[in-house]
Structure formats: structure tokens, C-alpha cells
Amino acid sequence: MQLYNSATHKKDEFKTHTPGHVEMYTCGPTVYHFAHIGNLRSYIMEDVLEKTLRYVGYDVNRVMNITDVGHLTSDADEGEDKMLKGAKREHKTVMEIAQYYTDAFFSDCAKLNIKTPDVVQPATGLIDDYIRIVSTLIEKDYAYLAGGNVYFDTAKLDRYYIFNDHNEEDLAVGVREGVEEDTNKRNRNDFVLWFTKSKFEDQALKWDSPWGVGYPGWHIECSGISMKYNGEYLDLHCGGIDNAFPHHTNEIAQSESYLGHPWCPQWFHVHHLNTNDGKMSKSKGEFLTVSLLEEKGYDPLVYRFFCLQSHYRKALVFTWENLDNAAGTFNKLIGRIANLKPGGDVDETAAAPLKERFRNALENDLNTALAVTAVYDVLKAKTNDATKLAVLADFDQVLSLDLLAKAEAKRQENAKAAAAKSAGGYTIVGEGDPAIDELVMKRYEAKKAKNFAEADRIRDELKAQGITITDVPGGAKWSRG
Ligand code: AMP
Ligand code: ZN
């Protein structure tokens, strides 16, 4: 399997420390608000990656954190804790906010058929582990105490910038507009491992530590959680592209300094979902959620389909028009699958090349758009319907679009409409719209019951929709216009 690796800046052959087994880590959500559909793009693509690895035969242990402390509004060490910001906004405690938005996150994931990772760990649950790691980093002289906080000393590393060639000036965190530089730092990109005194003093959750009562920095949580559940050798680390710097860069710095050996060789970054006016962001306050999509009548899996149609390493622009297009294509696809007749023998010889095309697409840097094309190849293939359905069920282990269940629902809907069409020997010839057929049938029933007022009312209702009905022997004909 070839996968682009942000650490080497090229597509690499995917390798694991233990043959056949993948230790995988995913940066989880900061649970101070709902996940927006941009965050969920990252989780959808990471889900496809995990399922692809399983599909091609790996056994996977996937770990995810839940950020419920330490993620400050600047992504670096400035600003207030995002969790406290959420708690203040909703007049609740930080833990109430964390629980509420963690549940909301997994409920969104379920609607998008995103599998829950094997291990999910809230950051507040492993404070002792972070304290142990920070203590070791101080002992090894990679970390220092200044102004009450513990900082990681980036100057101690031969190579700090892993993902890009930018220099310190370009990436300097402290020089963002309106953010004062932290004078405790020896080097601009040194970062906090443990806070006892941030400029923001009003922290809700605090723990005792050798350096005083305080709380962990955001980056240390991911290193601590991964090392606990993935072990010392992580194979694959995932996140959205904005996490590459400073978050992942800092995770590498502290993990490798603590362990004394390389930590994670492969880094998978999903590019952003943008709107026409820029990056989607939770901190902007107004954003698109799965619930909003549902309120507007979209099936959440249409959004998953929309994401699969494009490559994870390209920015994706969200517009309602683009989503409508995806919805139209998805519904047509389900309609075509619904026309396949279940039952019969599966022809494995015919199935094999179809599966190979699908697998090749995914093994080429997770080309999901091509994997979706492979679905259409199945529909066009010269083989029986039973084989096509079996191959589609196989693909859906990775795509997770409920292709067969949706097709079955559609088949039943069609059968119901067909039954309604010729009920009681009354046959309706129309243009294939079950809703109109049903109204025509109701009009017939009203007439049969001598309820002529109702029959006329239905005729007028159909007329208002531009439908003309003509009574013919044994039934009715209808047409538009
Ligand atoms: P957060 O909840 O802010 O910690 O982010 C959760 C995940 O969503 C992280 O992996 C981010 O990198 C990712 N992310 C944030 N914004 C976007 C976006 N607009 N498009 C795709 N992924 C995003
Ligand atoms: Zn992380």
C-alpha cells in the first residue's frame, strides 16, 4: 500500500513495526462545541483509512483522545482554555460540556458510519502519565522550568521542524498579531508541557504536580495517550492538516526525546473543508453541523459520499450546490443497485478483477474517488446480479455507505408503489412518480365511495401541480403539462 507521508513529503510504501499489525493514533475532537462538517471530513477519511488497512489484511489498534483540557484558543500557549470558553458560554461546568459534546460527537460519527476507535481516552484521565513524561523530560534536560511553567526546549533537538521547511521566523507562534510573546520561553517555538501560571489564570480543572497545581499542555496529552495504548512504536498518526504545526511537531519532539528512539514514521494529514469564504472553524461560532444537514433534509451519508468523491490531500469546497449534486448522484446510484435482483450464485472469477480495481484505488494513496468509480464498474460489468451485489457488499466494508440496505429499502418502496398502482384492478399509467400514482388512486377511491367533492379536490390538487388525468377503461392515465 502506498500512502503519502507528511514526514517524508512523498508517497511511501506503508510499513509497520510488527508485520501485519498497525498501531494507529488519531487526534480526537476538542469537545467544547459540536464538531463541524470540516472536522468530520477528517474523521471520515481517517475511518476510510482504518477500514482500508483492515480490508487489505492488517489487524489495527486505533486510539483516539478526547481533548477536554489544555487546548488553548491560539493552538499554541496563549489564550484561554477552549473548554472553559464553552462552559462559560453555556453556563455549565467543564465536565458537563465535555460529556455533552463527546456524546454529540459520537452520535454524529454514528450517523456518518464512522467506526468508534478501539480505544477512546479523555485527556483528563491520564494526568499521572503526563506528569511522569514531563518529569523524565526535565531529567533528560529537554525541558525547563520558567515562570512557574514547564517548557520543552526546542533548541535541544537537531531537527524540530519535521513537516515543512519553514524557519523559525515564518512559524513563530508568539508574533501573531495581538498576542504577546511569552518571555519565559528560551526559544520562540518552545512550548508548554505543564502550566501552573499561564497568562490565563482562570483554569477550571487543575491537578497537583511536582511543579505546583496546574494543568497539562495540549500536545503532551496525545503523546501520553498514544504511548499508553499504542506502545513505544506508533505506526501511523492521523489528523487534519492544521494539526501538523505546532501540535504534531511538538508531539514528535517530546515523544522522541522521552523515548530516546524514533516514535512514529508515518503521518497522514487530511486537508481542509472550506466554504467559499474560507476555512471552516469552530471558534468562529457559526458553523455547519450534521444536525443542520439533517434539518435541511440531507441524509448524512450523502455527506460521506461527497467526501469520498474527492482526494483527502486536496482542499474541498463545501457549497449547498455541491452537496445537492452529491445527493442526486448518490440517489441515482442507489436506484441502480435497487434494480439488481438478489439471489443466485456468485461468480468469484468475475468478482476478482472488480475487487482488484477497488483495492488498487485505495492502495494508491487512498484514492477514494477512484474507489467510487469502481462501484460503477461493478454495475456495468458483464456478470450476474448476485455477483454484483456480493462485490458491492464487499466494497461497503470500506465505503460504509449502506449501499445494500438503502437499495433494499428502495426496492421495497418501488414494490409498494407498484402494488398501489394496480390495486383493485384499477391500473394507473403515469410517468413513474409513486406520490402522484397514490393521489390518482385516492381520487379513484373517493369516486368509488361517491365522495365526489373529495375526488374533485384531488383532481384540482393534481392540476395545481401541472398534472392532467384522463379516465380510461379500467383505470386512469396521467401526464405532466
Ligand atoms: P479540533 O476539534 O479543533 O481539535 O479538531 C478536530 C480535527 O478536525 C483535527 O484533526 C483538525 O485538524 C480537524 N479539522 C479542523 N478544521 C478542519 C477543516 N476545516 N477541515 C478538515 N479538518 C479539520
Ligand atoms: Zn493530538
Side-chain angles (χ1 to χ4, degrees):
M1 168 146 179
Q2 295 273 315
L3 203 57
Y4 184 84
N5 181 359
S6 312
T8 59
H9 311 275
K10 61 180 175 57
K11 273 197 228 174
D12 285 339
E13 185 61 34
F14 182 73
K15 290 196 192 86
T16 58
H17 188 73
T18 307
H21 178 85
V22 186
E23 287 295 339
M24 179 173 181
Y25 184 83
T26 301
C27 288
T30 308
V31 284
Y32 72 114
H33 218 321
F34 293 109
H36 58 60
I37 59 172
N39 300 129
L40 291 161
R41 179 193 190 196
S42 286
Y43 295 113
I44 288 171
M45 300 320 285
E46 291 160 1
D47 180 67
V48 174
L49 175 59
E50 176 190 345
K51 287 173 178 165
T52 298
L53 291 169
R54 293 186 195 274
Y55 184 78
V56 304
Y58 285 102
D59 146 51
V60 181
N61 178 37
R62 180 157 172 220
V63 179
M64 182 195 269
N65 67 304
I66 297 290
T67 299
D68 54 1
V69 69
H71 192 174
L72 305 190
T73 45
S74 76
D75 263 17
D77 301 328
E78 304 296 336
E80 75 183 305
D81 188 306
K82 292 188 178 192
M83 292 304 301
L84 192 66
K85 197 174 158 186
K88 279 186 191 158
R89 184 187 64 232
E90 297 184 18
H91 309 288
K92 290 192 180 137
T93 66
V94 165
M95 287 332 267
E96 282 167 350
I97 288 285
Q99 193 56 55
Y100 181 80
Y101 288 113
T102 301
D103 292 347
F105 173 72
F106 285 113
S107 149
D108 286 347
C109 285
K111 287 175 186 165
L112 293 164
N113 281 349
I114 296 172
K115 176 185 164 293
T116 303
D118 303 286
V119 178
V120 175
Q121 175 65 61
T124 47
L126 285 189
I127 301 294
D128 289 347
D129 287 58
Y130 317 142
I131 291 177
R132 196 191 65 246
I133 297 167
V134 175
S135 302
T136 305
L137 288 172
I138 295 173
E139 276 163 30
K140 288 184 154 189
D141 204 25
Y142 284 108
Y144 59 93
L145 259 157
N149 297 330
V150 184
Y151 294 86
F152 187 92
D153 187 350
T154 53
K156 293 276 158 66
L157 302 178
D158 295 336
R159 187 164 172 243
Y160 169 64
Y161 303 107
I162 302 292
F163 299 115
N164 37 42
D165 305 321
H166 296 283
N167 60 34
E168 197 162 336
E169 286 303 315
D170 294 338
L171 292 167
V173 173
V175 293
R176 278 191 205 157
E177 235 177 295
V179 178
E180 234 178 280
E181 228 174 300
D182 182 346
T183 50
N184 292 323
K185 294 186 180 182
R186 291 183 189 163
N187 314 287
R188 267 191 181 154
N189 280 315
D190 287 0
F191 55 92
V192 177
L193 296 164
W194 187 268
F195 286 102
T196 68
K197 286 194 177 56
S198 65
K199 289 196 190 70
F200 155 68
E201 296 279 356
D202 193 17
Q203 180 66 16
L205 299 176
K206 294 181 195 180
W207 296 265
D208 205 6
S209 84
W211 318 287
V213 174
Y215 62 101
W218 172 39
H219 317 298
I220 195 73
E221 71 180 60
C222 285
S223 293
I225 291 169
S226 177
M227 284 191 243
K228 177 164 173 98
Y229 298 107
N230 294 119
E232 284 193 12
Y233 293 93
L234 179 61
D235 295 306
L236 176 61
H237 195 309
C238 313
I241 189 72
D242 60 314
N243 279 169
F245 186 86
H247 184 52
H248 292 162
T249 305
N250 293 348
E251 279 186 43
I252 296 170
Q254 67 207 1
S255 300
E256 298 199 343
S257 305
Y258 170 78
L259 291 167
H261 61 68
W263 175 50
C264 179
Q266 289 157 127
W267 291 79
F268 176 87
H269 287 123
V270 181
H271 286 244
H272 274 170
L273 180 81
N274 300 317
T275 51
N276 276 332
D277 53 4
K279 187 192 139 188
M280 208 168 289
S281 142
K282 267 193 256 191
S283 51
K284 279 188 193 163
E286 242 179 54
F287 50 85
L288 296 163
T289 59
V290 168
S291 308
L292 184 71
L293 299 189
E294 286 182 302
E295 273 164 35
K296 287 185 178 277
Y298 294 95
D299 176 344
L301 290 183
V302 162
Y303 179 64
R304 184 174 173 110
F305 183 70
F306 170 72
C307 290
L308 295 184
Q309 285 176 309
S310 72
H311 197 254
Y312 76 91
R313 248 174 349 101
K314 288 205 182 94
L316 178 59
V317 176
F318 178 86
T319 63
W320 292 108
E321 199 188 343
N322 290 347
L323 192 65
D324 282 338
N325 287 337
T329 311
F330 188 58
N331 287 337
K332 269 194 209 138
L333 173 62
I334 297 298
R336 287 179 66 183
I337 300 172
N339 288 333
L340 301 175
K341 309 261 174 316
D345 291 336
V346 175
D347 178 352
E348 293 297 347
T349 319
L354 297 167
K355 287 187 187 174
E356 194 178 315
R357 219 169 296 164
F358 179 73
R359 183 175 166 146
N360 285 346
L362 294 169
E363 284 188 329
N364 182 6
D365 195 21
L366 213 68
N367 192 333
T368 50
L370 208 57
V372 169
T373 308
V375 170
Y376 289 92
D377 292 341
V378 173
L379 292 170
K380 283 185 282 190
K382 287 193 176 57
T383 183
N384 64 1
D385 287 0
T387 305
K388 293 182 184 182
L389 286 165
V391 173
L392 292 175
D394 177 73
F395 289 6
D396 215 36
Q397 295 174 72
V398 177
L399 302 176
S400 296
L401 292 167
D402 290 353
L403 294 176
L404 268 57
K406 284 192 184 296
E408 181 51 35
K410 183 108 179 172
R411 248 192 305 272
Q412 283 178 15
E413 205 180 281
N414 291 346
K416 234 162 86 187
K421 234 170 122 178
S422 60
Y426 187 79
T427 305
I428 300 165
V429 181
E431 293 178 5
D433 186 335
I436 303 293
D437 288 343
E438 208 176 306
L439 275 177
V440 175
M441 182 57 75
K442 277 197 181 134
R443 172 175 166 269
Y444 166 65
E445 278 159 4
K447 272 188 9 184
K448 221 167 53 173
K450 301 211 177 328
N451 186 350
F452 298 110
E454 173 65 2
D456 288 348
R457 191 198 62 72
I458 296 173
R459 178 188 283 267
D460 290 346
E461 186 183 329
L462 287 164
K463 205 168 154 193
Q465 292 186 43
I467 309 281
T468 320
I469 316 179
T470 319
D471 291 313
V472 293
K477 269 188 184 169
W478 65 264
S479 60
R480 284 179 211 277

